[in-house]
Amino acid sequence: MRIIPATIQHIEAVVDIFCSAFESSISFFAPVNLKLKKAFKDVFTLLHLVFGKGFMVAVMGDEVCGYIVMADNIKRLWLGTVFSGFLVKMAAKAIFGAYCLNLSTIFKVIKNKLFYMKFEMLTISCGQLLSIAVLPRHHGKGIGKRLLEAGINYMESRGIKRIKLEVRPDNTPAVRMYEKYGFRPAGRAKDLQGDWLIMVRECS
């Protein structure tokens, strides 16, 4: 199993992993379908454009079985979203039905993102683990740990002194993994689906 920088060719596999790993959370807004996957593909393409080598995948043979996205500077994501025209393009696609989202669902997504922005404003500015997931059939093989190690090493190579993340407090396996790698509880945040536990790691 190898951890390598993601390429554009990996994005569709990453979307499939994301949808498999977070299906219940996604379904809170809309059922997973091909049109919705197009929206996620656009989002992950932007993350790849903005964060480059901070976006990594775990590969076994020819199969992408996990990924991680590390943000060394979250402000670059907001700037990239606005100045690349991404926000306008996504809004237009959503309105004209490319993602199969109705206005009620779009409102819920926007409201949820406002909760996320509040989380960003209430926590110290630092690097961030934006997303990590492993295909369910590959759980228990240590892939998540390898991805997390690679993500931490990348951030330290960039001179990042502090990394934060948010995880559902009832996701005990994930919380324990993060604690093993030096992340400690630093507060709570909330969105439409419930509480988030904010964890922070001080880098060497």
Side-chain angles (χ1 to χ4, degrees):
M1 194 267 291
R2 298 171 296 137
I3 307 295
I4 61 175
T7 67
I8 288 296
Q9 288 69 36
H10 293 131
I11 298 298
E12 286 193 12
V14 167
V15 170
D16 287 338
I17 295 168
F18 177 80
C19 291
S20 295
F22 302 111
E23 184 175 5
S24 60
S25 293
I26 296 167
S27 296
F28 175 81
F29 298 98
V32 176
N33 55 48
L34 290 177
K35 285 191 174 183
L36 190 59
K37 283 187 174 184
K38 288 181 181 179
F40 293 136
K41 183 178 180 180
D42 287 344
V43 171
F44 278 107
T45 298
L46 175 69
L47 293 176
H48 181 263
L49 174 68
V50 173
F51 296 118
K53 293 181 180 179
F55 192 154
M56 292 168 270
V57 292
V59 180
M60 294 181 68
D62 295 326
E63 182 184 24
V64 178
C65 52
Y67 74 88
I68 188 169
V69 182
M70 305 297 292
D72 57 338
N73 184 343
I74 199 68
K75 289 180 181 178
R76 287 202 290 120
L77 177 59
W78 306 133
L79 291 173
T81 300
V82 174
F83 292 108
S84 69
F86 174 83
L87 192 62
V88 174
K89 291 176 184 176
M90 278 207 78
K93 287 183 178 181
I95 291 170
F96 289 104
Y99 301 144
C100 200
L101 298 175
N102 58 39
L103 289 177
S104 175
T105 300
I106 293 171
F107 176 76
K108 285 172 69 175
V109 171
I110 293 172
K111 188 175 180 181
N112 214 51
K113 288 305 171 188
L114 290 175
F115 277 109
Y116 179 80
M117 291 177 70
K118 181 180 179 182
F119 155 72
E120 283 298 315
M121 293 174 65
L122 292 176
T123 55
I124 299 171
S125 179
C126 57
Q128 189 167 338
L129 194 170
L130 278 186
S131 186
I132 181 172
V134 174
L135 275 174
R137 66 175 175 271
H138 288 296
H139 285 179
K141 298 179 181 179
I143 296 171
K145 292 178 182 178
R146 289 279 304 277
L147 284 164
L148 185 58
E149 288 171 0
I152 292 170
N153 289 339
Y154 169 77
M155 294 296 247
E156 290 182 341
S157 75
R158 300 281 293 178
I160 303 299
K161 301 301 183 184
R162 182 182 291 111
I163 307 169
K164 66 182 175 184
L165 59 84
E166 64 268 19
V167 60
R168 295 295 183 190
D170 60 354
N171 188 351
T172 304
V175 172
R176 287 177 177 170
M177 180 178 74
Y178 295 138
E179 288 177 337
K180 180 179 178 181
Y181 284 90
F183 287 88
R184 297 292 176 259
R188 294 263 178 160
K190 193 178 183 68
D191 66 8
L192 297 179
Q193 293 176 271
D195 290 336
W196 289 100
L197 174 64
I198 301 168
M199 302 185 77
V200 172
R201 182 186 192 275
E202 302 292 338
C203 299
S204 56

